[in-house]
Amino acid sequence: MPSPLTPSSTDQPSANAPMRFGFLLLPNYSLIAFSSAIEALQMANWIRGETLYESCLISRDGDPVISSSGVQTAVDRGLEQCNDLDVLFVCGASPIARTGNEEVLAWLRRQSQGSMAFGGIGTGSYLLACAGLLDGYKATIHWWDLAQLREEFPQTRITNSLFEVDGGRYTCSGGTAAMDMMLFLIGLKHGSELAASISEQFVCERIRSAEDSQRIPLKHRIGANQPKLIEAVTLMEANIEEPLSTDDLAHHVAVSRRHLERLFKKHLQTVPSKFYLQLRMERARQLLQQSDKPILQVALACGFSSASHFSTAFRSHFGLTPREERKRLTETPQLAPQRSSLHRP
């Protein structure tokens, strides 16, 4: 599908009809990601002194929606009144909601037969993939969910980019990356000068590109002058299932064990074994939250020889067992609305 965001052929945007952007808010959506996206559109209108973009807020049934932070947001319409949009952005739940979206998925599939373009903000990319709308497209999602998206949807070209714009599909990793994506789209349609002006109004240091990394690389946190330490951590991250010993790590990066331990202590305030265990534990928690893998499979995937050993280590690290971690996720109640709420004018 070609993108509807083709550059303007005139320096007078008022000659063109405003683009109509819809934001489908699902329960527990990320407020910061949604706000970062819609505020960029409103600022574009303000700077140009005309309506370049019209936006509307949508829920399944037209009722207010509660964000992951508990803020209740009033919307303009329900799904069935949304056939007149140029682009629909799905603002997904945080964390991903794997059930209860059947009505939304069916509606997305029906709409994909028309000319509407689709975007995913944060975990909204997961919903688009579930509906089959990302088949054959490049797409991204928050780094926490990248592995799961790659595993479940091999027909989608998943990247770890900050955002992806591929034909009529616009996806981003969430958070403030939603603003970077919107600024890119605004620049594509109305020029980079307008996008830069919006960035200045929001006191953004710079507009990040799609090639920017989602996570701050270790070399940027500790400095690029520690190549041996960076190489050791990279080896750890690549060998979660079959962990390397500290001696093996030292051998691979061509330093002594004592020197490697000094590097970790000085720059990361820990020893290699503890840092490695932290990586493995975080990966285990991610698998517990994002997959239905049996606990034994999670244990093996994170370098533990038995479920009991894994359970003991997990409890020591996080204060609860792997089984309790999964139970906690399924029993977490929906947040009640706070006093403040967002209302549409």
Side-chain angles (χ1 to χ4, degrees):
M1 173 190 290
S3 171
L5 292 165
T6 53
S8 297
S9 59
T10 175
D11 291 331
Q12 298 177 345
S14 57
N16 302 323
M19 290 203 67
R20 298 158 299 181
F21 280 25
F23 294 87
L24 173 58
L25 307 181
L26 298 178
N28 291 317
Y29 72 94
S30 168
L31 187 59
I32 187 172
F34 159 65
S35 300
S36 295
I38 197 170
E39 289 290 346
L41 301 179
Q42 300 303 319
M43 184 58 70
N45 292 343
W46 183 81
I47 290 174
R48 293 296 281 263
E50 57 187 305
T51 305
L52 303 179
Y53 299 94
E54 293 177 347
S55 59
C56 71
L57 308 189
I58 305 156
S59 67
R60 289 189 185 97
D61 50 13
D63 291 338
V65 187
I66 299 173
S67 74
S68 60
S69 58
V71 175
Q72 181 173 266
T73 306
V75 302
D76 300 307
R77 59 179 82 169
L79 284 177
E80 298 308 320
Q81 292 80 46
C82 295
N83 300 318
D84 59 344
L85 300 173
D86 293 306
V87 187
L88 175 80
F89 287 94
V90 180
C91 301
S94 180
I96 288 175
R98 294 176 179 78
T99 60
N101 294 309
E102 292 75 15
E103 179 185 354
V104 172
L105 294 177
W107 183 86
L108 288 171
R109 294 186 186 103
R110 292 196 301 271
Q111 297 304 313
S112 68
Q113 304 305 311
S115 60
M116 188 186 299
F118 295 90
I121 294 179
T123 66
S125 302
Y126 182 81
L127 269 293
L128 295 180
C130 286
L133 272 61
L134 296 182
D135 291 359
Y137 287 92
K138 290 174 65 177
T140 191
I141 198 170
H142 192 275
W143 59 264
W144 182 259
D145 302 301
L146 277 172
Q148 179 190 1
L149 202 65
R150 287 194 177 107
E151 182 177 342
E152 290 191 35
F153 305 102
Q155 64 274 37
T156 300
R157 292 175 288 163
I158 308 299
T159 76
N160 61 356
S161 299
L162 205 62
F163 62 86
E164 287 287 355
V165 174
D166 187 9
R169 300 292 183 268
Y170 321 127
T171 56
C172 75
S173 53
T176 57
M179 181 177 294
D180 295 291
M181 179 176 67
M182 284 300 181
L183 292 176
F184 176 83
L185 296 178
I186 291 169
L188 192 66
K189 182 72 175 177
H190 296 288
S192 59
E193 185 176 343
L194 176 58
S197 296
I198 297 169
S199 180
E200 289 180 354
Q201 287 292 329
F202 289 135
V203 201
C204 291
E205 179 185 1
R206 67 184 179 93
I207 302 175
R208 295 176 295 177
S209 71
E211 288 72 32
D212 276 82
S213 175
Q214 290 192 35
R215 305 184 72 180
I216 301 174
L218 183 64
K219 65 181 180 181
H220 291 166
R221 289 159 46 194
I222 64 174
N225 61 343
Q226 297 299 328
K228 296 298 183 181
L229 178 58
I230 293 169
E231 187 179 353
V233 172
T234 301
L235 279 170
M236 289 178 176
E237 292 174 336
N239 292 274
I240 297 294
E241 186 170 351
E242 296 183 5
L244 301 171
S245 69
T246 302
D247 287 330
D248 287 337
L249 288 167
H251 173 74
H252 283 299
V253 301
V255 297
S256 68
R257 175 184 178 130
R258 181 170 294 183
H259 182 62
L260 185 64
E261 289 174 340
R262 282 201 300 267
L263 288 175
F264 271 83
K265 192 68 175 178
K266 180 178 179 180
H267 298 285
L268 299 175
Q269 293 75 52
T270 188
V271 296
S273 58
K274 287 186 177 180
F275 187 87
Y276 209 165
L277 180 61
Q278 173 75 24
L279 291 178
R280 294 162 61 199
M281 289 290 97
E282 290 294 342
R283 176 57 177 157
R285 186 166 65 173
Q286 185 178 9
L287 288 174
L288 289 169
Q289 292 179 355
Q290 298 179 351
S291 74
D292 296 324
K293 293 180 183 294
I295 290 176
L296 177 57
Q297 286 189 19
V298 173
L300 296 175
C302 297
F304 293 91
S305 58
S306 68
S308 59
H309 181 203
F310 169 57
S311 182
T312 300
F314 193 92
R315 182 168 187 172
S316 176
H317 199 80
F318 293 114
L320 72 172
T321 66
R323 195 175 304 278
E324 290 169 342
E325 170 70 9
R326 275 196 166 152
K327 184 178 181 182
R328 179 185 67 83
L329 289 173
T330 58
E331 293 182 350
T332 299
Q334 186 177 17
L335 289 170
Q338 298 176 355
R339 288 183 180 272
S340 60
S341 60
L342 300 179
H343 297 282
R344 298 287 292 166

